[in-house]
PDB file of all heavy atoms in Angstrom:
ATOM      1  N   TYR A 628      43.341 114.970 112.154  1.00  0.00           N
ATOM      2  CA  TYR A 628      43.600 114.167 113.406  1.00  0.00           C
ATOM      3  C   TYR A 628      44.934 114.600 114.072  1.00  0.00           C
ATOM      4  O   TYR A 628      45.052 114.545 115.276  1.00  0.00           O
ATOM      5  CB  TYR A 628      43.758 112.670 113.027  1.00  0.00           C
ATOM      6  CG  TYR A 628      43.893 111.826 114.262  1.00  0.00           C
ATOM      7  CD1 TYR A 628      42.843 111.502 115.117  1.00  0.00           C
ATOM      8  CD2 TYR A 628      45.090 111.317 114.547  1.00  0.00           C
ATOM      9  CE1 TYR A 628      43.040 110.657 116.234  1.00  0.00           C
ATOM     10  CE2 TYR A 628      45.325 110.477 115.638  1.00  0.00           C
ATOM     11  CZ  TYR A 628      44.310 110.241 116.504  1.00  0.00           C
ATOM     12  OH  TYR A 628      44.573 109.407 117.582  1.00  0.00           O
ATOM     13  N   LYS A 629      45.965 114.896 113.220  1.00  0.00           N
ATOM     14  CA  LYS A 629      47.269 115.094 113.802  1.00  0.00           C
ATOM     15  C   LYS A 629      47.525 116.500 114.336  1.00  0.00           C
ATOM     16  O   LYS A 629      48.315 117.304 113.825  1.00  0.00           O
ATOM     17  CB  LYS A 629      48.319 114.837 112.603  1.00  0.00           C
ATOM     18  CG  LYS A 629      48.530 113.396 112.312  1.00  0.00           C
ATOM     19  CD  LYS A 629      49.743 113.212 111.583  1.00  0.00           C
ATOM     20  CE  LYS A 629      49.592 113.255 110.156  1.00  0.00           C
ATOM     21  NZ  LYS A 629      50.867 112.955 109.341  1.00  0.00           N
ATOM     22  N   TRP A 630      46.721 116.862 115.357  1.00  0.00           N
ATOM     23  CA  TRP A 630      47.091 118.072 116.156  1.00  0.00           C
ATOM     24  C   TRP A 630      46.598 117.932 117.469  1.00  0.00           C
ATOM     25  O   TRP A 630      45.910 117.098 117.941  1.00  0.00           O
ATOM     26  CB  TRP A 630      46.392 119.259 115.356  1.00  0.00           C
ATOM     27  CG  TRP A 630      44.883 119.262 115.333  1.00  0.00           C
ATOM     28  CD1 TRP A 630      44.117 118.405 114.520  1.00  0.00           C
ATOM     29  CD2 TRP A 630      43.983 119.933 116.276  1.00  0.00           C
ATOM     30  NE1 TRP A 630      42.798 118.606 114.742  1.00  0.00           N
ATOM     31  CE2 TRP A 630      42.590 119.495 115.834  1.00  0.00           C
ATOM     32  CE3 TRP A 630      44.106 120.962 117.269  1.00  0.00           C
ATOM     33  CZ2 TRP A 630      41.463 120.121 116.468  1.00  0.00           C
ATOM     34  CZ3 TRP A 630      42.988 121.298 117.866  1.00  0.00           C
ATOM     35  CH2 TRP A 630      41.656 121.015 117.422  1.00  0.00           C
ATOM     36  N   ASN A 631      47.213 118.749 118.280  1.00  0.00           N
ATOM     37  CA  ASN A 631      47.028 118.691 119.749  1.00  0.00           C
ATOM     38  C   ASN A 631      46.533 120.112 120.179  1.00  0.00           C
ATOM     39  O   ASN A 631      47.307 121.041 120.075  1.00  0.00           O
ATOM     40  CB  ASN A 631      48.410 118.313 120.382  1.00  0.00           C
ATOM     41  CG  ASN A 631      48.240 118.141 121.810  1.00  0.00           C
ATOM     42  OD1 ASN A 631      47.284 118.505 122.482  1.00  0.00           O
ATOM     43  ND2 ASN A 631      49.356 117.738 122.581  1.00  0.00           N
ATOM     44  N   PRO A 632      45.427 120.152 120.824  1.00  0.00           N
ATOM     45  CA  PRO A 632      44.745 121.374 121.194  1.00  0.00           C
ATOM     46  C   PRO A 632      45.717 122.049 122.155  1.00  0.00           C
ATOM     47  O   PRO A 632      45.790 123.345 122.186  1.00  0.00           O
ATOM     48  CB  PRO A 632      43.347 121.064 121.882  1.00  0.00           C
ATOM     49  CG  PRO A 632      43.195 119.664 121.470  1.00  0.00           C
ATOM     50  CD  PRO A 632      44.431 118.934 121.069  1.00  0.00           C
ATOM     51  N   GLU A 633      46.388 121.351 123.015  1.00  0.00           N
ATOM     52  CA  GLU A 633      47.334 121.820 123.985  1.00  0.00           C
ATOM     53  C   GLU A 633      48.454 122.563 123.555  1.00  0.00           C
ATOM     54  O   GLU A 633      49.053 123.305 124.317  1.00  0.00           O
ATOM     55  CB  GLU A 633      47.617 120.678 125.014  1.00  0.00           C
ATOM     56  CG  GLU A 633      46.546 120.343 125.942  1.00  0.00           C
ATOM     57  CD  GLU A 633      46.485 118.804 126.123  1.00  0.00           C
ATOM     58  OE1 GLU A 633      47.583 118.236 126.490  1.00  0.00           O
ATOM     59  OE2 GLU A 633      45.479 118.075 125.796  1.00  0.00           O
ATOM     60  N   THR A 634      48.921 122.185 122.399  1.00  0.00           N
ATOM     61  CA  THR A 634      50.247 122.740 121.937  1.00  0.00           C
ATOM     62  C   THR A 634      50.019 123.559 120.625  1.00  0.00           C
ATOM     63  O   THR A 634      51.002 124.127 120.125  1.00  0.00           O
ATOM     64  CB  THR A 634      51.248 121.731 121.624  1.00  0.00           C
ATOM     65  OG1 THR A 634      50.552 120.824 120.822  1.00  0.00           O
ATOM     66  CG2 THR A 634      51.654 121.034 122.947  1.00  0.00           C
ATOM     67  N   LEU A 635      48.842 123.654 120.073  1.00  0.00           N
ATOM     68  CA  LEU A 635      48.560 124.301 118.794  1.00  0.00           C
ATOM     69  C   LEU A 635      48.948 125.735 118.783  1.00  0.00           C
ATOM     70  O   LEU A 635      49.642 126.259 117.900  1.00  0.00           O
ATOM     71  CB  LEU A 635      47.148 124.068 118.269  1.00  0.00           C
ATOM     72  CG  LEU A 635      46.903 124.547 116.885  1.00  0.00           C
ATOM     73  CD1 LEU A 635      47.487 123.657 115.764  1.00  0.00           C
ATOM     74  CD2 LEU A 635      45.300 124.657 116.687  1.00  0.00           C
ATOM     75  N   VAL A 636      48.424 126.392 119.799  1.00  0.00           N
ATOM     76  CA  VAL A 636      48.788 127.908 119.905  1.00  0.00           C
ATOM     77  C   VAL A 636      49.613 128.069 121.180  1.00  0.00           C
ATOM     78  O   VAL A 636      49.231 127.960 122.341  1.00  0.00           O
ATOM     79  CB  VAL A 636      47.472 128.616 120.049  1.00  0.00           C
ATOM     80  CG1 VAL A 636      47.837 130.091 120.119  1.00  0.00           C
ATOM     81  CG2 VAL A 636      46.498 128.382 118.938  1.00  0.00           C
ATOM     82  N   PRO A 637      50.849 128.501 120.882  1.00  0.00           N
ATOM     83  CA  PRO A 637      51.783 128.699 121.954  1.00  0.00           C
ATOM     84  C   PRO A 637      51.112 129.727 123.009  1.00  0.00           C
ATOM     85  O   PRO A 637      50.640 130.769 122.463  1.00  0.00           O
ATOM     86  CB  PRO A 637      53.069 129.330 121.506  1.00  0.00           C
ATOM     87  CG  PRO A 637      53.050 128.918 120.028  1.00  0.00           C
ATOM     88  CD  PRO A 637      51.573 128.700 119.660  1.00  0.00           C
ATOM     89  N   GLY A 638      50.985 129.500 124.235  1.00  0.00           N
ATOM     90  CA  GLY A 638      50.371 130.393 125.124  1.00  0.00           C
ATOM     91  C   GLY A 638      48.994 129.972 125.612  1.00  0.00           C
ATOM     92  O   GLY A 638      48.493 130.397 126.607  1.00  0.00           O
ATOM     93  N   ILE A 639      48.439 128.844 124.788  1.00  0.00           N
ATOM     94  CA  ILE A 639      47.243 128.396 125.177  1.00  0.00           C
ATOM     95  C   ILE A 639      47.343 126.969 125.607  1.00  0.00           C
ATOM     96  O   ILE A 639      47.895 126.101 124.846  1.00  0.00           O
ATOM     97  CB  ILE A 639      46.142 128.403 124.090  1.00  0.00           C
ATOM     98  CG1 ILE A 639      45.897 129.883 123.585  1.00  0.00           C
ATOM     99  CG2 ILE A 639      44.757 127.677 124.470  1.00  0.00           C
ATOM    100  CD1 ILE A 639      44.847 130.086 122.643  1.00  0.00           C
ATOM    101  N   THR A 640      47.100 126.679 126.892  1.00  0.00           N
ATOM    102  CA  THR A 640      47.486 125.455 127.515  1.00  0.00           C
ATOM    103  C   THR A 640      46.130 124.601 127.900  1.00  0.00           C
ATOM    104  O   THR A 640      45.102 125.245 127.805  1.00  0.00           O
ATOM    105  CB  THR A 640      48.381 125.566 128.665  1.00  0.00           C
ATOM    106  OG1 THR A 640      47.562 126.367 129.738  1.00  0.00           O
ATOM    107  CG2 THR A 640      49.672 126.190 128.507  1.00  0.00           C
ATOM    108  N   LYS A 641      46.286 123.409 128.315  1.00  0.00           N
ATOM    109  CA  LYS A 641      45.107 122.581 128.556  1.00  0.00           C
ATOM    110  C   LYS A 641      44.097 123.314 129.585  1.00  0.00           C
ATOM    111  O   LYS A 641      43.005 123.323 129.407  1.00  0.00           O
ATOM    112  CB  LYS A 641      45.542 121.268 129.221  1.00  0.00           C
ATOM    113  CG  LYS A 641      44.432 120.386 129.552  1.00  0.00           C
ATOM    114  CD  LYS A 641      44.621 118.860 129.221  1.00  0.00           C
ATOM    115  CE  LYS A 641      43.254 118.165 129.071  1.00  0.00           C
ATOM    116  NZ  LYS A 641      42.992 117.377 130.295  1.00  0.00           N
ATOM    117  N   GLU A 642      44.726 124.036 130.588  1.00  0.00           N
ATOM    118  CA  GLU A 642      43.969 124.656 131.622  1.00  0.00           C
ATOM    119  C   GLU A 642      42.990 125.856 130.894  1.00  0.00           C
ATOM    120  O   GLU A 642      41.943 126.113 131.525  1.00  0.00           O
ATOM    121  CB  GLU A 642      44.834 125.463 132.672  1.00  0.00           C
ATOM    122  CG  GLU A 642      45.630 124.381 133.482  1.00  0.00           C
ATOM    123  CD  GLU A 642      46.586 123.694 132.729  1.00  0.00           C
ATOM    124  OE1 GLU A 642      47.512 124.293 132.032  1.00  0.00           O
ATOM    125  OE2 GLU A 642      46.652 122.507 132.769  1.00  0.00           O
ATOM    126  N   ASN A 643      43.497 126.327 129.745  1.00  0.00           N
ATOM    127  CA  ASN A 643      42.774 127.386 129.180  1.00  0.00           C
ATOM    128  C   ASN A 643      41.601 126.855 128.336  1.00  0.00           C
ATOM    129  O   ASN A 643      40.762 127.583 127.724  1.00  0.00           O
ATOM    130  CB  ASN A 643      43.578 128.305 128.334  1.00  0.00           C
ATOM    131  CG  ASN A 643      44.933 128.723 129.094  1.00  0.00           C
ATOM    132  OD1 ASN A 643      45.998 128.677 128.598  1.00  0.00           O
ATOM    133  ND2 ASN A 643      44.644 129.356 130.235  1.00  0.00           N
ATOM    134  N   ILE A 644      41.607 125.503 128.095  1.00  0.00           N
ATOM    135  CA  ILE A 644      40.816 125.020 127.022  1.00  0.00           C
ATOM    136  C   ILE A 644      39.484 124.348 127.532  1.00  0.00           C
ATOM    137  O   ILE A 644      39.678 123.393 128.399  1.00  0.00           O
ATOM    138  CB  ILE A 644      41.606 124.056 126.060  1.00  0.00           C
ATOM    139  CG1 ILE A 644      42.799 124.777 125.362  1.00  0.00           C
ATOM    140  CG2 ILE A 644      40.720 123.396 125.028  1.00  0.00           C
ATOM    141  CD1 ILE A 644      43.767 123.882 124.586  1.00  0.00           C
TER     142      ILE A 644
END
Side-chain angles (χ1 to χ4, degrees):
Y628 183 81
K629 286 198 267 183
W630 61 284
N631 181 352
E633 286 142 53
T634 54
L635 187 72
V636 180
I639 300 185
T640 59
K641 179 141 201 263
E642 295 67 53
N643 309 129
I644 300 172

